[in-house]
């Protein structure tokens, strides 16, 4: 069974850094695409970025150059390194795993972790 357990959220000052981790149980990184999403109050959930097989990454324009997604096959963990944080980065951040199939995708979500950027 796939389970996604997140950690690392908290309060950080503007310009600071934070590292989120997602422990992905039952996930094969050669099959699943791992992603990070976020949802701010009053806004829709949006894609932050994702990593696919081979370590290829894609990022939203709003975080490009500041955030980095990486995976650790040995530990089955996906990380989100966030640098140069801005108040507008404040949101609940979610880990996501997707596996495609002929009948439609299998999609799993973590519980979410709060990131607050404020002075």
């Amino acid at each position: 069974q796939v389970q996604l357990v997140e950690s690392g959220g908290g309060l950080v000052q503007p310009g600071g850094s934070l590292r989120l981790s997602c422990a992905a149980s039952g996930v094969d990184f050669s099959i699943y695409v791992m992603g990070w999403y976020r949802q701010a109050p009053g806004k829709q959930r949006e894609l932050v970025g994702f990593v696919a097989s081979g370590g290829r990454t894609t990022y939203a324009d709003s975080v490009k150059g500041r955030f980095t997604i990486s995976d650790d096959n040995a530990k089955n963990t996906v990380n989100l390194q966030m640098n140069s944080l801005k108040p507008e980065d404040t949101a609940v951040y979610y880990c996501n795993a997707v596996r495609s199939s002929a009948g439609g995708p299998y999609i799993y979500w973590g519980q979410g972790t709060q990131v607050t950027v404020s002075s």
Side-chain angles (χ1 to χ4, degrees), residues 4-100:
L4 307 177
V5 181
E6 301 164 329
S7 62
L11 175 65
V12 65
Q13 295 185 352
S17 297
L18 204 61
R19 186 178 181 87
L20 306 182
S21 295
C22 174
S25 176
V27 176
D28 185 342
F29 289 168
S30 69
I31 298 173
Y32 284 83
V33 173
M34 303 299 299
W36 286 96
Y37 289 74
R38 67 185 183 185
Q39 187 167 21
K43 295 186 177 181
Q44 297 185 61
R45 188 176 300 187
E46 65 177 359
L47 174 70
V48 174
F50 63 86
V51 56
S53 179
R56 292 173 293 181
T57 54
T58 300
Y59 302 95
D61 288 340
S62 59
V63 307
K64 196 173 299 181
R66 299 187 298 120
F67 291 11
T68 303
I69 297 173
S70 61
D71 56 29
D72 187 331
N73 288 327
K75 297 181 178 180
N76 248 45
T77 299
V78 178
N79 300 309
L80 177 64
Q81 178 66 47
M82 303 183 292
N83 299 324
S84 302
L85 284 162
K86 306 174 181 179
E88 50 262 45
D89 294 319
T90 296
V92 177
Y93 283 71
Y94 298 90
C95 182
N96 160 269
V98 178
R99 176 173 65 87
S100 297

